[in-house]
Amino acid sequence: IVYFAERPGVVVVDWTGYRIETSFTMLMAVVVLIAAFTAFLYRIWIFLKHAPAQITGAWRHKRRQQGYQALTRGMVAVSAGEPDEARRQVKRAQVLLEEPPLTMLLAAQAAQLNGDEKAAENFFQAMSEQRETEFLGVRGLLNQAIKRGGADALNLARRAYRLRPTSDWAVTNLFDLQVRNGQWLDARVTSDEIIRNKLVSAETGRRRKAVFSYQLSQEAEARGERAEALKELKTAHELAPGFAPAARALAETLAATGRERRAVEVIERAWRASPHPDLVEPYWVGTGAEDTIARVKATERLAEIKPGHAENDVALARACLDAQLWGQARNHLDNLTAASGELEARVCRMMAELEEAEHGNMEAVHHWLRRASLAETDPSWVCNSCGNATAEWSALCGNCENFDSYSWRRPPHVAALAGPGEGEEPKALPAAME
C-alpha cells in the first residue's frame, strides 16, 4: 500500500466517448473489490445450487441412523423375549430404512416371537428369493420345517448346503435329516464332508461309516442281494470290530454259507474289542458246539480272549447251568458276586435257577428272586442322549431320534436316583442277603 501510495501513477481510460482519469492505485483497488464481490456471488450461487441435495442427504442420514437404532432395539427385544416391543421397533425400522433385507430377518423373528409362524414363513420366503439374504431365508424355512416335521426339510437342507457348503450348520443339518430319512448312502458322503471339516473325530467317523455299512447290508438283504449284504457287513466289521450287531450278522451269514471258521474269527475279534452276550450263540454255531458240554468248552475258549471281563463269567455261568455243571456255574456266579457289590438282576436270576436245580431250595430261590427285583437293571442298549433303553440296537434312538447314540451298558437305576422318600429310612436287606 505504501509503495503504491508513493507511486500513484496516472491511468486514462477513453471508451465510447467516456474518459476516466484516475491513479493506478485506485484502479487496482477497484479491481480487487470487483473480484471479491464476484467471488462472493459465486459462493452464494454454489450454495443455492447444492443446498437441496445437502438438506435431503442430511435428512436421509438422520433417518438411516434412526432406522439402525430401531433395528438394534428390535434385535435386543427379540433376544429379551419382548414381542410387543419387537413388533413396534420392526414397524419403525421398516418405515425409516429403505433396505428391506435388513428388516426382513428381524420381522420374521418378531413374528415367531408373537407365535405367527405363517407371517414368519412369508418373510423367510421373501428373503430366500433375494440373493443377498437367500441363505438366511432358507435357514429360517428349514428351522420351521424341522420344527413341524415337514417333508420339505431335506430339500431345504440340500439347498442350504449348496449355498454354503462350508457352513457347519448346513452340513450338520443335512446329515441329521439324511439319517432320519434312511438315506444311508447320501449320509455316508455327507459324513465324509463333516470329517474333512473336523466337526467330529476320525474315530467317530469310522464308527459312523461302520453303521452306514451295516444299515446298507440290511437293505441289501431285504432286496435279496446277499453278496452285496455280505460285502457291506465285512466293511462294517473292518471299520468297527467291536460293533456287536454287525459282527453277529456277519458271523451268522458266514456260518450259513459254510464258512464256520471265518465266522469264529469274526466273533473272536469282536469279543476282543468289546464282549457282548449276543456274540455267544453265533460262536457256538461257528465252533459246531451242538451239545451243552461242547458249548461250555467253546465258551471257555472265548473267555480266554478277554480275561477278567464280567461277560466271561456271565456267559460261562449260563453255559454251565445249561450243562448242569452246578459247581462250575456257582464258581462263575461267585466271581461276579465278588467283583461287584451291586449285582445285576440277571446274575440273581441265575442264582435262583441254580438253587432250584441243584438243591431244590425254594427259600433260597425266593430270596434271590426278591434280590433280583432290587438289583441293578440288566445291561441293554441305552441312548447316550436321552437315556432311552431298548433290547435291540437301532441306528436311530426311538425317543430322541439321535443317530448312533446307543451304547451297551446298564440303564440308570431310577430307585437309586430317587432315594428314600421324606421321612423314610433306606430299606435294609435281609440278613440272608448280606
Side-chain angles (χ1 to χ4, degrees):
I1 292 174
V2 173
Y3 178 83
F4 283 109
E6 292 177 349
R7 300 168 181 82
V10 177
V11 176
V12 178
V13 179
D14 192 352
W15 183 60
T16 63
Y18 291 95
R19 184 181 179 87
I20 301 174
E21 295 183 4
T22 184
S23 64
F24 180 78
T25 302
M26 181 60 68
L27 177 64
M28 291 299 295
V30 171
V31 169
V32 170
L33 289 174
I34 292 174
F37 183 70
T38 303
F40 176 72
L41 291 178
Y42 176 75
R43 294 300 298 175
I44 292 177
W45 177 76
I46 290 294
F47 172 76
L48 293 176
K49 179 181 179 181
H50 294 287
Q54 291 176 346
I55 294 173
T56 303
W59 177 75
R60 288 179 177 175
H61 178 69
K62 184 176 181 180
R63 283 176 61 85
R64 192 177 185 85
Q65 284 185 324
Q66 292 175 341
Y68 280 124
Q69 187 179 51
L71 195 65
T72 302
R73 289 176 178 174
M75 291 179 178
V76 172
V78 169
S79 301
E82 300 173 351
D84 294 336
E85 177 66 13
R87 185 171 58 251
R88 190 174 70 85
Q89 295 298 337
V90 165
K91 291 180 180 179
R92 181 173 170 80
Q94 288 175 334
V95 171
L96 294 172
L97 292 176
E98 298 177 357
E99 300 180 43
L102 293 176
T103 59
M104 279 193 293
L105 178 59
L106 178 60
Q109 291 178 333
Q112 286 182 319
L113 193 61
N114 282 277
D116 192 349
E117 291 293 335
K118 185 60 179 177
E121 182 180 357
N122 292 335
F123 281 116
F124 287 133
Q125 185 63 41
M127 292 171 64
S128 68
E129 295 170 358
Q130 298 189 32
R131 188 178 64 179
E132 297 85 355
T133 58
E134 183 178 2
F135 180 75
L136 289 175
V138 172
R139 177 167 182 160
L141 292 172
L142 176 56
N143 288 332
Q144 283 190 316
I146 293 175
K147 185 184 297 184
R148 67 172 181 265
D152 57 340
L154 184 56
N155 291 331
L156 288 169
R158 291 195 183 102
R159 183 179 173 186
Y161 178 71
R162 287 195 300 269
L163 290 171
R164 292 288 191 277
T166 58
S167 168
D168 296 346
W169 175 87
V171 70
T172 301
N173 275 277
L174 177 60
F175 175 80
D176 290 341
L177 289 168
Q178 284 172 336
V179 296
R180 291 180 185 181
N181 285 273
Q183 299 185 355
W184 309 115
L185 199 58
D186 292 343
R188 182 158 61 182
V189 175
T190 306
S191 178
D192 292 338
E193 183 67 20
I194 290 175
I195 295 171
R196 281 194 293 270
N197 292 343
K198 297 182 178 180
L199 299 179
V200 298
S201 64
E203 181 180 355
T204 301
R206 285 176 60 87
R207 164 75 182 197
R208 286 182 173 182
K209 287 182 178 180
V211 174
F212 295 143
S213 294
Y214 175 72
Q215 293 298 123
L216 289 171
S217 73
Q218 300 301 298
E219 291 183 351
E221 183 70 27
R223 295 192 302 267
E225 301 174 0
R226 295 190 174 181
E228 181 65 20
L230 180 59
K231 177 183 175 182
E232 293 292 351
L233 284 174
K234 289 180 178 178
T235 301
H237 182 64
E238 288 298 322
L239 290 171
F243 183 30
R248 177 179 180 176
L250 177 59
E252 291 175 345
T253 302
L254 291 170
T257 55
R259 286 175 281 184
E260 289 84 358
R261 184 173 180 180
R262 176 61 181 145
V264 169
E265 292 174 355
V266 168
I267 295 298
E268 289 178 348
R269 185 183 181 192
W271 193 269
R272 185 178 294 107
S274 180
H276 193 281
D278 288 349
L279 302 175
V280 178
E281 289 189 14
Y283 190 74
W284 291 345
V285 174
T287 56
E290 297 181 357
D291 60 78
T292 55
I293 299 298
R295 290 179 178 180
V296 172
K297 293 180 179 179
T299 308
E300 288 174 347
R301 291 196 300 272
L302 185 62
E304 292 173 357
I305 297 174
K306 190 82 169 181
H309 200 280
E311 288 297 335
N312 292 331
D313 287 310
V314 172
L316 284 167
R318 182 70 269 164
C320 290
L321 281 172
D322 293 341
Q324 299 183 2
L325 300 176
W326 314 129
Q328 293 184 35
R330 189 176 294 277
N331 290 336
H332 292 299
L333 291 174
D334 288 341
N335 290 340
L336 292 170
T337 305
S340 175
E342 296 181 353
L343 292 180
E344 296 173 352
R346 59 179 175 171
V347 176
C348 295
R349 289 194 297 269
M350 282 192 289
M351 286 294 295
E353 183 180 347
L354 176 62
E355 292 292 348
E356 182 178 8
E358 183 181 14
H359 303 298
N361 187 346
M362 299 310 296
E363 182 179 353
V365 170
H366 294 155
H367 156 71
W368 282 110
L369 290 178
R370 285 195 303 270
R371 189 164 181 178
S373 66
L374 300 173
E376 292 292 336
T377 309
D378 293 340
S380 61
W381 293 108
V382 181
C383 177
N384 297 322
S385 299
C386 67
N388 180 45
T390 180
E392 297 293 331
W393 181 90
S394 62
L396 296 177
C397 174
N399 183 47
C400 65
E401 294 189 333
N402 276 1
F403 173 72
D404 190 27
S405 60
Y406 282 119
S407 61
W408 182 258
R409 57 188 175 89
R410 288 190 308 198
H413 199 298
V414 178
L417 293 175
E422 184 178 357
E424 296 181 3
E425 294 293 334
K427 296 181 180 180
L429 296 177
M433 297 174 64
E434 295 294 336

